[in-house]
Amino acid sequence: MSQNLTLESALQAIVATQSDRSPTGLAGLIAALRPHNVTQINLATNSLRSLAWLLDQNAAYRSALRHYLMKLVSSRRQLHLYTDAGILSNEGVWSAFRRRLGEKLLPSEYRDDYLRDLFGRVFDHKDDYEWVNAVPDAVWLEVWQALNFAEGNHAHDERNTQLELVEAAQVLSYRISAIGLEPELVRNYPAIEKFESPFLTQNVELRDYLEGYKAQLIEPSKSREDDKAVCVLLDQCDEIVMRVRKTSAHEGVSVSLTYLMVRLSQHLERLRLVLDLLEQEHSRQTPERAVRFFKQLVEAENRKTSLRDLFATNTDLLALQITEHAGRTGEHYIASNRREWLAMAKSAMGAGFIVGFMALLKIFTAKLKLAPLIEAFAFSMNYSLGFMLIHMLHFTIATKQPAMTAAKIAASIERQSKAGDAQDGLVELIEAVARTQFVAIMGNVLIAIPTALLIALSLKYGLDSEPISTEKAYSLLHDLDPFHSLAIPHAAIAGCCLFLAGLISGYYDNKAVYNRIPARLMQLQLPRRLFGEARWQRICTYIENNLGALAGNFFFGIMLGSMGTLGFLLGLPLDIRHITFSSANLAYAAVALDFQLPWQIWLTSSVGVLLIGLTNLAVSFGLALSVALRSRRIRFVDRRSLVRKLFQRLLRSPQRFFIAPKEIVTATPNHKPEQ
């Protein structure tokens, strides 16, 4: 009852000022409908139904609100509402970022003569779109039908709205033609130049249609063509957009191309809506589409300065391609049979051997007491060049796997969710990832430790040189203590670096394909003469296949090497802990102290190494899987069932999570374990 009284008060205020063009009355009505909490959807739904009932029962309320709404609409410029609201503007992503950031700090001027700005005054709460979208379309239609526009004589206002829609259709059509001629779009779909472009012909057909429409508005007895020909051409435009998106799966994509695709799709969808509104007498879906359009406008107004929405909208295709390239790399990290499992073990052992030397080189570099930035550069080059050498020798760092295999698991989840298949294939994939990850870690650690021991003992007893001092040894042991140091947070930072390295790797793989870097390199005359045609061709092919991995390893090394210095400069406790390097450091510390360590320190350090490794893997895998799932716009399906099946598989055959079977498992592709 109290809600009805509030609604009646708002309606009575509109009755008293129905000739006023101020949005105050409508803002008061929306305030009466707005729930106290956006999650109270039932309250908002009941309020709208109460409004529909009041309008249906009271002719004065109905007439006043109808007249007031028509006055608000007809007295304002409508064009920008149809052509700009909820549509990306003709600017780059970074220009849009700067503009939105500026509007957050200093809101744009309110222009009362624009209908688009009216939404900002009426729906002035930033979360209004949540309850507006949550209310069923049928309830909003009840309110619209209760207004009963057939009762009044609004021919003049309807004609003005139709003319605004005609102008909006023209503007949208011109923009579609312009976007369709963008060089980047033509480059990715050359057939546009060979055949008659639907982006141009739709404009020709639309002009003819709109001329006939305006002529009929002036003289209703005249006949005109419908919009079917225009809609066919718009469908052809949509088909080209889909083809470009499919082409990008193997030819790469850029942020600017994604921006063009999003803008083009938005304009095509909006033009269809405008045509439906113009043909409302012949379209049964017009009221429903009008309601959806209304919801889009409210959300667009509430979120017009959202930076998160801007990047989420314009980087989805790029993120998908980056994770796709990472996923294809991740296939090399999944051993489906015993032969591949053993090959992964050998590959990991090779990496562990090299890390033993890298850990010592870092210790020696730290002894030099270089200036902070010089030291960061030296550490970074040690890591970067070492990781790149590991890749070039086809060895494997175990912690690089999660960021790559997460995309493969996300692809499997997507296939399962689309096909509705059982989760057996996904369970087998996770099982294969687990045992491959296990053998890679064991290969790294079990070789890094004896390599470090052998180096340290050789230096100590062969060359009579202490690789590290006693103080440094105790410092290394303290860094491994998970209870009295920041070992675990530092391991989490390393996990974030691993995740970023995976994204960088996918980004450069995408960049190599999209920018056709190998083909452009082949055009260079100097290296062709220097190396010879055949050898330079092999180098370019290697770059094409390995640019992403090399770049990922290079930047990963920079992140690891400079993190401690960055923390020093900022006065923050920033550093990294990596399981393979930590295990090597444990060996160097043990030799420096002549293995005279209490069992408590042995136990604490061993537990520290284990927890560092688990943190490295958990953080990098969790972040990578989250991005891969979001880029595909999917969610985990039936998590409980998946966990239950994994647990059942673990109880039934626990060895399969650690040792690969001899037979080939068809759940995962047959690839050699290369980085």
Side-chain angles (χ1 to χ4, degrees), residues 628-645:
L629 291 174
R630 291 185 63 181
S631 69
R632 296 171 180 273
R633 299 181 180 180
I634 58 176
R635 299 175 60 185
F636 262 121
V637 288
D638 201 357
R639 295 186 187 184
R640 292 183 179 179
S641 174
L642 178 61
V643 172
R644 184 174 64 254
K645 288 188 176 184

Side-chain angles (χ1 to χ4, degrees), residues 155-332:
H156 177 71
D157 294 332
E158 289 179 358
R159 184 174 179 276
N160 286 341
T161 298
Q162 288 172 321
L163 290 175
E164 293 269 8
L165 287 169
V166 166
E167 189 175 354
Q170 290 175 326
V171 171
L172 292 168
S173 178
Y174 284 127
R175 289 181 183 173
I176 290 171
S177 297
I179 298 173
L181 293 175
E182 283 286 340
E184 191 162 15
L185 181 62
V186 175
R187 172 180 175 270
N188 283 271
Y189 192 74
I192 295 178
E193 294 182 312
K194 298 179 182 178
F195 307 101
E196 192 172 23
S197 172
F199 297 110
L200 298 179
T201 53
Q202 59 83 24
N203 181 257
V204 176
E205 287 289 341
L206 185 71
R207 278 187 299 169
D208 294 339
Y209 164 75
L210 294 179
E211 287 299 325
Y213 192 94
K214 288 188 289 186
Q216 192 179 59
L217 284 179
I218 298 172
E219 191 174 339
S221 61
K222 284 190 175 182
S223 61
R224 62 177 176 84
E225 296 292 332
D226 57 27
D227 62 347
K228 290 183 179 179
V230 179
C231 292
V232 169
L233 290 169
L234 295 182
D235 289 339
Q236 293 178 11
C237 295
D238 270 334
E239 186 178 348
I240 291 178
V241 172
M242 292 302 298
R243 288 180 180 176
V244 172
R245 285 182 173 270
K246 289 180 179 178
T247 302
S248 65
H250 54 83
E251 293 190 3
V253 72
S254 66
V255 174
S256 56
L257 178 61
T258 305
Y259 193 84
L260 283 175
M261 293 295 97
V262 173
R263 284 194 70 224
L264 188 53
S265 297
Q266 289 177 341
H267 279 84
L268 290 168
E269 178 62 26
R270 187 60 57 83
L271 181 54
R272 284 193 179 91
L273 175 63
V274 169
L275 291 175
D276 277 355
L277 294 174
L278 287 172
E279 292 282 354
Q280 56 183 317
E281 295 180 359
H282 309 291
S283 176
R284 296 180 180 179
Q285 298 295 322
T286 299
E288 289 80 3
R289 296 199 68 183
V291 169
R292 289 196 292 272
F293 180 43
F294 160 72
K295 290 183 175 183
Q296 291 174 14
L297 294 176
V298 176
E299 182 170 2
E301 180 59 34
N302 286 169
R303 308 285 296 177
K304 65 181 180 181
T305 61
S306 172
L307 302 178
R308 180 183 298 178
D309 288 357
L310 175 67
F311 285 105
T313 302
N314 293 285
T315 59
D316 59 343
L317 188 58
L318 180 61
L320 178 60
Q321 291 312 310
I322 289 175
T323 54
E324 277 293 297
H325 284 292
R328 283 192 284 272
T329 304
E331 293 174 353
H332 300 300

Side-chain angles (χ1 to χ4, degrees), residues 41 64 172 251 310 326 328 375 391-392 502 596 605 632 652:
I41 307 305
L172 292 168
E251 293 190 3
L310 175 67
R328 283 192 284 272
E375 184 178 69
H391 170 76
M392 294 174 70
Q596 301 302 311
S605 300
R632 296 171 180 273
R652 186 170 62 250

